[in-house]
Amino acid sequence: MNTQQSAAISPDELGQLRIQKATLEKKYHWTFYICLGMAALLFGMSMFMSAMVGRDPDIKDADKFALGLALAGAEIFSAVAILGLSIWIYVKKRTPIYLLMIFCLLHAIGSIIALTPYPSMLFLHLALDSVGLFLSFRSLHMLNEHEWLQQQPGYPSFSEALMGSNEYQPPAYVKQSSAMDRHKAIELFAQQGSAPQTAAPQKEAMPGVGEPLANINDGEHSRFLTPAETLASVSLPTEPMAAETVTQGAAESACLTPSADAMLSDMTVPEQNTSVPGPLPDPEDVKRRLRLMKEQQAQTSDQA
């Protein structure tokens, strides 16, 4: 069912199609019931055929049993065949309709040959075969009508509320988001020429506790400084810092200010240690800084 046909049909036409489908279903039901009655009648006639052959004086006693059994078996076979074909026709197939036509014609010919001495039974069989032919032609017409209904919009319910229920329409926000995603992906591909690749986050290397080297990150490259470079990067305390230290007390300043001998021992690098990269600090610069530190410590002790 397409959307254009669904939109073009009116509620009145849907109602007419619904009534036509219900009428067609009733016709199929009546056809099945009539075929069921024909099968039951043929099954009952099998017993009458045996009795009629047994009372026929023109047939020898030795042949009565065989002829009666053959006619009764033929009637039972005809009943079963009509019942099976009627069930097959009820499921709306075309093949059993043609088989029922052929069977009724062959059954009429066989009845004329075998039941000529019995006019009443011959007439009854020909009437049943005529009904079977009529039902087969009627079933063919109903099947064509059923196939036509299948091509109409709204089949099989023909309900306006259920029309288009079997067609999935995604919500508007899904359509909009999909279109925006495709548009953004196309623009990104046109700008970069390839799909974007997400780089894995890199963990910054943090120096462990007690490590003698300091890690400096300048944005692009990271490197470890030697103790000599660490000393050069440390700024000496200025006059305001020294004044603040005096106000806090001599004991506190003594704890915060390291001794010159301790710093000199820390800055001493053994000559045999070749694993530390970088040049050694200038001795003159170290002596100057140590002299300044001793002068500051002497001034602090005099003021205290």
Side-chain angles (χ1 to χ4, degrees), residues 2-248:
N2 51 42
T3 308
Q4 296 180 355
Q5 290 181 349
S6 301
I9 193 169
S10 63
D12 295 337
E13 294 176 347
L14 284 175
Q16 294 177 0
L17 292 174
R18 190 163 52 248
I19 295 173
Q20 187 175 355
K21 182 177 181 295
T23 305
L24 181 63
E25 293 294 335
K26 291 181 179 179
K27 291 179 181 179
Y28 269 102
H29 282 85
W30 280 109
T31 302
F32 175 75
Y33 293 150
I34 294 173
C35 291
L36 184 62
M38 291 174 57
L41 184 59
L42 288 172
F43 185 80
M45 287 171 59
S46 62
M47 293 181 278
F48 286 101
M49 292 292 295
S50 299
M52 185 177 59
V53 171
R55 292 194 304 267
D56 190 355
D58 297 334
I59 301 175
K60 297 179 181 181
D61 295 338
D63 298 335
K64 287 182 179 180
F65 178 78
L67 183 59
L69 183 61
L71 292 176
E75 296 294 334
I76 295 174
F77 173 77
S78 300
V80 173
I82 291 177
L83 180 61
L85 291 175
S86 63
I87 296 174
W88 199 359
I89 291 173
Y90 187 76
V91 297
K92 301 177 181 61
K93 299 297 181 180
R94 190 176 297 272
T95 302
I97 298 175
Y98 296 116
L99 292 178
L100 182 61
M101 291 181 184
I102 296 174
F103 177 79
C104 290
L105 291 175
L106 295 177
H107 189 266
I109 295 173
S111 300
I112 293 172
I113 295 173
L115 300 177
T116 301
Y118 312 102
S120 60
M121 298 299 294
L122 177 61
F123 175 77
L124 184 58
H125 281 76
L126 291 177
L128 290 176
D129 293 333
S130 300
V131 173
L133 289 172
F134 172 77
L135 291 177
S136 60
F137 283 106
R138 184 66 176 172
S139 299
L140 186 61
H141 175 74
M142 291 188 301
L143 182 62
N144 293 333
E145 185 178 358
H146 172 71
E147 292 177 352
W148 179 81
L149 286 174
Q150 285 182 326
Q151 298 176 357
Q152 303 307 310
Y155 180 86
S157 60
F158 295 111
S159 175
E160 187 177 4
L162 298 178
M163 288 184 62
S165 60
N166 56 343
E167 298 179 358
Y168 172 73
Q169 296 292 337
Y173 69 90
V174 175
K175 295 181 179 179
Q176 184 178 3
S177 62
S178 301
M180 292 176 61
D181 293 341
R182 290 195 299 268
H183 185 66
K184 291 180 179 178
I186 292 174
E187 289 183 353
L188 185 60
F189 185 80
Q191 293 176 1
Q192 299 184 0
S194 61
Q197 297 180 358
T198 304
Q202 297 181 357
K203 297 183 179 180
E204 297 182 357
M206 301 296 295
V209 179
E211 292 183 0
L213 303 180
N215 184 13
I216 296 179
N217 190 352
D218 57 357
E220 296 182 357
H221 303 284
S222 299
R223 60 191 182 92
F224 290 96
L225 298 180
T226 61
E229 294 176 345
T230 305
L231 177 63
S233 62
V234 175
S235 60
L236 296 175
T238 57
E239 293 298 332
M241 293 178 62
E244 184 178 359
T245 305
V246 173
T247 58
Q248 290 179 357

